[in-house]
Amino acid sequence: MKNFMMLFIAVFLSAATLLPLNGNEGKKKSFPACSFSTKLEMNFPADTAFLLLYLEESSYNMQETKARIDAKEKQFLEALKKEYPSVKYTSSTESIGGKNNDPYRDDTAFQPCIRKTFLLSFSPDETLAIKLSDLAIKNNLRLFCGVPAYFSNHSASAVIYGIKDDAKIISGMKKKVLQTLFHEAEELAENLKKGKVQLDNCALDIEMQNALLTFKNMKIKLPVLHFSAQKDSVPVTVKGSAQFSFTGK
């Protein structure tokens, strides 16, 4: 008797879930909207290149240290403009303080130090990048072998290749992502025999790389969203999500 009652309750509850909630028995319950997401990554050749450099100088006091680093910077920039006038550059004072200064060491070990970083931009030419590196080394600058500040599979490199004019690339990739989302929704509609699909909302975004590169506690921020240590293989990623509804059979 107990088993019979349990079976009766289970059948009753199952049947109750099939009854229309609004009391209109002839009205069919609509199929719920479905969401899809996807990500597309493609590699493209670079249209720009960067050389990352830094300069460090120290002396017996800060004024002398600044005079020395200014003189070395001026010497390098004059040589750069003379030999490679089309190369653009930006420089920034990275730190003013002590050289190898450890807070746990005796203050008598303090030595005034100034460090500056340099970012050179030019056409994506590896031969030119090598020549610029030699020019910098000749003028007492050092190579800044940067890696993204947070976890990444990016190789440490002083020469970085990037994509500056990415509008056409992004537009084409967003179109492909949207086509993929529609295709997935249409396949589901066909399998469920639910007729056509209708796009309710959609979000397409660029997955940006971390453009802040670090080296020996110094930082340089790249002016591009997509970059790589490889000239012919700069990754660009677009991710998308969309919600679709079904418009009948």
Side-chain angles (χ1 to χ4, degrees):
M1 184 68 178
K2 183 178 180 181
N3 291 338
F4 175 79
M5 289 298 297
M6 293 296 294
L7 178 61
F8 174 80
I9 293 171
V11 172
F12 176 79
L13 291 175
S14 298
T17 59
L18 298 176
L19 295 175
L21 297 180
N22 56 7
N24 298 324
E25 294 183 5
K27 188 174 180 180
K28 295 183 179 179
K29 193 175 181 180
S30 61
F31 194 82
C34 292
S35 298
F36 300 87
S37 62
T38 189
K39 184 165 69 171
L40 175 64
E41 180 176 311
M42 300 177 68
N43 293 309
F44 299 90
D47 61 13
T48 188
F50 305 97
L51 176 63
L52 287 62
L53 304 164
Y54 76 100
L55 183 59
E56 180 179 275
E57 188 59 62
S58 59
S59 187
Y60 55 88
N61 63 37
M62 279 297 182
Q63 293 184 67
E64 178 62 22
T65 301
K66 186 177 186 308
R68 289 186 179 185
I69 201 168
D70 287 348
K72 287 185 177 181
E73 179 180 3
K74 181 180 179 182
Q75 176 184 324
F76 169 64
L77 295 181
E78 287 178 349
L80 179 66
K81 290 178 180 179
K82 181 180 178 180
E83 297 191 38
Y84 305 100
S86 63
V87 173
K88 298 178 181 179
Y89 77 92
T90 58
S91 64
S92 176
T93 300
E94 173 65 24
S95 65
I96 299 176
K99 183 177 182 180
N100 300 324
N101 192 36
D102 188 328
Y104 299 102
R105 289 173 61 181
D106 192 327
D107 285 343
T108 56
F110 176 84
Q111 185 178 6
C113 178
I114 296 177
R115 293 193 297 183
K116 300 194 73 171
T117 55
F118 298 79
L119 182 65
L120 277 56
S121 57
F122 48 96
S123 60
D125 182 343
E126 189 175 273
T127 301
L128 177 57
I130 297 299
K131 290 181 179 179
L132 289 169
S133 299
D134 284 341
L135 180 66
I137 294 170
K138 182 180 177 180
N139 286 274
N140 302 304
L141 275 78
R142 303 177 187 179
L143 300 181
F144 183 113
C145 297
V147 293
Y150 305 104
F151 176 78
S152 171
N153 58 0
H154 188 280
S155 301
S157 180
V159 179
I160 305 293
Y161 298 97
I163 297 176
K164 182 171 55 177
D165 300 322
D166 62 354
K168 187 175 180 180
I169 289 173
I170 296 300
S171 177
M173 290 182 66
K174 283 185 175 180
K175 185 177 179 180
K176 288 183 178 180
V177 167
L178 188 57
Q179 288 173 343
T180 299
L181 293 170
F182 259 105
H183 179 69
E184 291 181 358
E186 287 168 349
E187 274 194 340
L188 179 61
E190 184 178 351
N191 292 335
L192 297 176
K193 301 186 184 304
K194 290 297 177 181
K196 297 180 180 180
V197 298
Q198 175 179 298
L199 178 65
D200 294 334
N201 59 67
C202 180
L204 302 173
D205 301 303
I206 306 169
E207 192 172 88
M208 294 180 292
Q209 293 175 268
N210 179 20
L212 187 64
L213 305 186
T214 66
F215 179 65
K216 291 187 175 182
N217 296 322
M218 295 181 289
K219 300 178 181 66
I220 292 180
K221 188 172 184 179
L222 297 177
V224 292
L225 301 178
H226 323 284
F227 57 90
S228 171
Q230 288 76 43
K231 181 178 69 172
D232 298 318
S233 185
V234 180
V236 180
T237 302
V238 173
K239 55 184 179 180
S241 60
Q243 188 175 59
F244 296 89
S245 57
F246 299 91
T247 60
K249 293 184 179 180

